[in-house]
Amino acid sequence: MPAAVAPSRGLNYGKEHQTTVSVEDFKRWLMQFDTDHDGRITRRELREAIRRRGAWFAGLRAWRAVQRADRNRNGFVDDDEIENLIGMAEKDLGFNISRDRPAVSCPDTRPRQHWPMQYCFVLKH
């Protein structure tokens, strides 16, 4: 009898399970874990973000990501360094981060600002 294979958590997401977001949306998602509201992401805050996405070894992944993203070596991922986390987010967290601003289509002719985003959909180019 073959051994059961446990689903990977945070590794090799199939395209159907990836979350497509823009760089700005990824930054907004990440900054919700900035618990001390200083505009920087600590290793502990990043670890919590990684855990929320369901990945294993969140502490190790957070340590490695901060080491790679922190260009000025102050121990934090500052706002201008968050883009350095994109590779890790795509590889380990199942994000598909689009550098282009997606076109948004809403269900009727009213201006977009009057529609909540959950009623709109992203158009693929």
Side-chain angles (χ1 to χ4, degrees):
M1 176 186 260
V5 177
S8 64
R9 292 182 62 189
L11 294 175
N12 302 324
Y13 279 89
K15 288 184 180 182
E16 66 277 2
H17 298 294
Q18 287 187 336
T19 304
T20 302
V21 296
S22 67
V23 173
E24 294 83 22
D25 290 338
F26 173 69
K27 286 181 180 181
R28 244 180 277 128
W29 173 81
L30 190 59
M31 292 311 288
Q32 75 181 344
F33 298 99
D34 181 20
T35 55
D36 54 2
H37 305 290
D38 63 352
R40 306 181 298 183
I41 298 295
T42 64
R43 188 178 73 198
R44 180 174 286 162
E45 292 165 343
L46 185 56
R47 182 184 69 204
E48 182 60 27
I50 292 169
R51 281 183 180 159
R52 292 276 177 94
R53 286 295 289 184
W56 287 356
F57 307 110
L60 179 63
R61 289 174 195 258
W63 175 81
R64 187 179 66 201
V66 169
Q67 291 295 314
R68 291 180 179 170
D70 184 21
R71 299 287 184 215
N72 62 5
R73 299 293 180 226
N74 65 353
F76 302 96
V77 179
D78 302 315
D79 186 53
D80 57 333
E81 297 170 331
I82 287 178
E83 291 197 27
N84 299 333
L85 292 175
I86 288 176
M88 182 274 301
E90 290 179 327
K91 178 179 177 264
D92 294 343
L93 302 181
F95 280 107
N96 180 15
I97 299 174
S98 169
R99 273 100 176 144
D100 299 328
R101 189 94 177 135
V104 176
S105 174
C106 295
D108 85 9
T109 58
R110 290 188 289 177
R112 276 187 212 138
Q113 64 267 22
H114 299 291
W115 278 93
M117 198 57 179
Q118 67 265 23
Y119 295 114
C120 302
F121 56 92
V122 176
L123 297 174
K124 302 264 182 179
H125 294 284

